[in-house]
Amino acid sequence: MPSSKWDVRFLELALHIARWSKDPSTQVGCVVVGPDREIRSTGFNGFPRGIDDSLDRLTDREQKYPLICHAEENAIMHAARIGISLKGCRAYVTWPPCTRCARSLIQAGVDEVIYPAGLEIPERWMGDFEMSTGMFGEAGVAIRQVPVSPSS
């Protein structure tokens, strides 16, 4: 399916939401959209509500990373909390999902994952990227890349 103005708009919204992350090195946003182009849920990389994110906890790598939820997982948790189904939806994300998020999106019933075209995947993440792409393929989840302007 070719990209549309809506694909670009939803990716631009995900890019905007990504800027809410407390850690600039992990700014990723997610917008989950239903079949009628209604936004069902959003998320960004960061701490879920209710978890203490004081500087003491942030400085300890062992404690920081297990607590941080990825954008896709935050969107899925938000939808579950308010009782919205993500089955048959599209997930617009600003970065290809890791294997953990790929598994979460598959379990949530998302049909398609869309992220910006032209991203340079660092070598250290290439293995994870290939595994998550394979997971999506096995689960029948479509993956699409859409060109967006860098200034979005």
Side-chain angles (χ1 to χ4, degrees):
M1 168 197 271
S3 61
S4 70
K5 67 178 181 181
W6 288 102
D7 290 330
V8 173
R9 287 182 182 173
F10 289 131
L11 271 179
E12 287 173 344
L13 177 58
L15 287 162
H16 173 75
I17 290 169
R19 295 184 190 113
W20 298 347
S21 175
K22 293 175 196 263
D23 182 351
S25 69
T26 60
Q27 288 189 339
V28 179
C30 176
V31 176
V32 185
V33 178
D36 295 323
R37 292 196 296 254
E38 76 282 6
I39 295 173
R40 295 215 179 157
S41 191
T42 62
F44 61 95
N45 277 12
F47 290 90
R49 285 188 189 142
I51 290 182
D52 176 22
D53 59 352
S54 66
L55 286 177
D56 297 338
R57 308 247 335 236
L58 283 172
T59 54
D60 185 347
R61 283 182 69 94
E62 269 59 46
Q63 291 187 29
K64 177 181 177 185
Y65 290 101
L67 293 177
I68 285 183
C69 278
H70 294 193
E72 301 90 330
E73 291 179 321
N74 268 332
I76 291 165
M77 286 180 354
H78 175 256
R81 205 170 22 244
I82 59 176
I84 290 178
S85 170
L86 300 183
K87 189 169 174 53
C89 290
R90 291 180 181 154
Y92 292 86
V93 291
T94 60
W95 188 256
C98 65
T99 50
R100 188 174 101 184
C101 290
R103 190 176 308 111
S104 297
L105 288 167
I106 291 165
Q107 289 172 346
V110 168
D111 281 351
E112 188 173 22
V113 175
I114 296 118
Y115 59 87
L119 295 175
E120 291 185 33
I121 311 295
E123 188 62 38
R124 70 177 186 264
W125 292 332
M126 192 52 78
D128 195 52
F129 171 68
E130 289 169 357
M131 285 193 327
S132 62
T133 302
M135 289 168 64
F136 284 133
E138 288 174 21
V141 175
I143 302 172
R144 225 168 10 106
Q145 297 179 46
V146 171
V148 251
S149 67
S151 61
S152 297

